[in-house]
């Protein structure tokens, strides 16, 4: 009751690509109930406190905090988690740590509000007004091109090198300058490897032709 106006203001995107084009900046925290060696999870309050600390240290501009939830039945998959800066869980007691989606969103908003209030109360007064975050635009196409030039396959779904590097990059929450340096390194490295691969391809072609000449003469 009374939520119609909020629903009318809702923005709906049909894919991650559409979301990233329209919402490229800010910190993204993905919620999951499954933890493990490949999912570096932390309590939601701790994850938000970490993000606020990084933002305060870098004196970055004010950007949104995005809480990401998956479908109620099976949650977020590995591809989804790769777009998050932090992976977090709700501290629910008991052996069955799963909630329906509406309950999870409500509890997550409460925990996030508490964490932000706590962080702001202990931060410098100039950083208390708004939540701070860096502008993060993940160099997806460039990283894929770099991996191909290095000889890696992007077809392997389990423990893909691309997914692992993407998660590592997002967890580091880089500043704009650090992102610029990383992108520059990837561009130069990719260019050098592609040039080297082209030279090797030409040498192999010439070698194959030289092997065919004696056969033709014979």
């Amino acid at each position: 009751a009374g939520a119609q106006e909020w629903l009318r203001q809702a923005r709906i995107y049909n894919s991650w690509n559409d979301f990233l084009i329209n919402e490229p900046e800010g910190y993204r925290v993905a919620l999951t109930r499954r933890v493990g060696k490949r999912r570096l999870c932390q309590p939601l309050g701790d994850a938000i406190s970490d993000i606020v600390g990084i933002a305060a240290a870098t004196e970055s501009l004010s950007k949104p905090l995005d809480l990401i939830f998956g479908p109620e039945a099976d949650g977020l998959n590995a591809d989804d988690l790769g777009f998050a800066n932090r992976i977090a869980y709700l501290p629910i007691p008991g052996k069955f740590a799963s909630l329906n989606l509406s309950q999870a969103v409500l509890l997550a908003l409460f925990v996030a509000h508490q964490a932000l209030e706590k962080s702001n109360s202990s931060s410098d007064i100039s950083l208390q007004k708004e939540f701070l975050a860096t502008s993060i635009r993940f160099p997806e196409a460039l990283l894929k091109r770099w991996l191909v030039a290095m000889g890696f396959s992007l077809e392997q779904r389990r423990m893909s090198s691309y997914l692992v590097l993407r998660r590592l990059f997002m967890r580091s929450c880089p500043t704009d300058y650090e992102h610029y340096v990383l992108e520059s390194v990837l561009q130069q490295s990719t260019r050098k490897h592609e040039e080297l691969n082209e030279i090797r391809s030409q040498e192999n072609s010439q070698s194959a032709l030289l092997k065919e000449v004696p056969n033709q003469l014979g």
Side-chain angles (χ1 to χ4, degrees), residues 29-33 44 67-70 76 81 87-90 108:
V29 180
L31 277 295
T32 181
R33 71 175 181 86
L44 177 58
L67 300 179
I68 304 169
F69 302 84
L76 298 167
L81 295 178
I87 303 175
Y89 63 88
L90 293 169

Side-chain angles (χ1 to χ4, degrees), residues 9-173:
Q9 295 179 24
R11 293 188 294 270
I12 299 175
Y13 304 111
N14 294 320
S15 67
W16 268 111
N17 186 56
D18 290 343
F19 172 77
L20 294 174
I21 290 174
N22 291 278
E23 311 281 351
E25 299 179 350
Y27 280 105
R28 297 187 285 273
V29 180
L31 277 295
T32 181
R33 71 175 181 86
R34 295 188 293 272
V35 299
K37 294 181 179 179
R38 296 182 183 177
R39 288 193 175 187
L40 301 177
C41 298
Q42 58 188 142
L44 177 58
D46 293 347
I48 293 175
S49 296
D50 284 352
I51 288 174
V52 173
I54 292 172
T58 57
E59 298 184 354
S60 43
L61 298 175
S62 175
K63 299 295 178 182
L65 168 67
D66 301 322
L67 300 179
I68 304 169
F69 302 84
E72 188 166 299
D74 48 14
L76 298 167
N77 59 35
D79 287 343
D80 297 323
L81 295 178
F83 289 102
N85 303 113
R86 288 289 187 276
I87 303 175
Y89 63 88
L90 293 169
I92 303 172
K95 294 183 178 179
F96 190 73
S98 180
L99 298 172
N100 67 45
L101 187 56
S102 62
Q103 291 175 326
V105 172
L106 181 64
L107 180 56
L109 289 173
F110 173 75
V111 173
H113 177 74
Q114 280 195 323
L116 289 173
E117 287 291 317
K118 182 179 179 181
S119 297
N120 285 338
S121 65
S122 60
S123 298
D124 184 83
I125 189 170
S126 63
L127 304 177
Q128 288 183 5
K129 294 182 179 180
E130 298 182 78
F131 175 72
L132 301 177
T134 58
S135 57
I136 298 172
R137 295 174 177 83
F138 180 71
E140 186 165 359
L142 180 57
L143 179 59
K144 289 181 177 179
R145 181 181 160 196
W146 179 78
L147 286 170
V148 170
M150 293 287 289
F152 287 89
S153 172
L154 301 180
E155 302 301 323
Q156 299 174 355
R157 301 301 299 169
R158 291 182 60 83
M159 280 304 289
S160 163
S161 54
Y162 164 70
L163 290 177
V164 171
L165 289 176
R166 188 173 71 181
R167 287 196 295 266
L168 179 63
F169 177 87
M170 296 303 293
R171 276 194 59 81
S172 68
C173 299

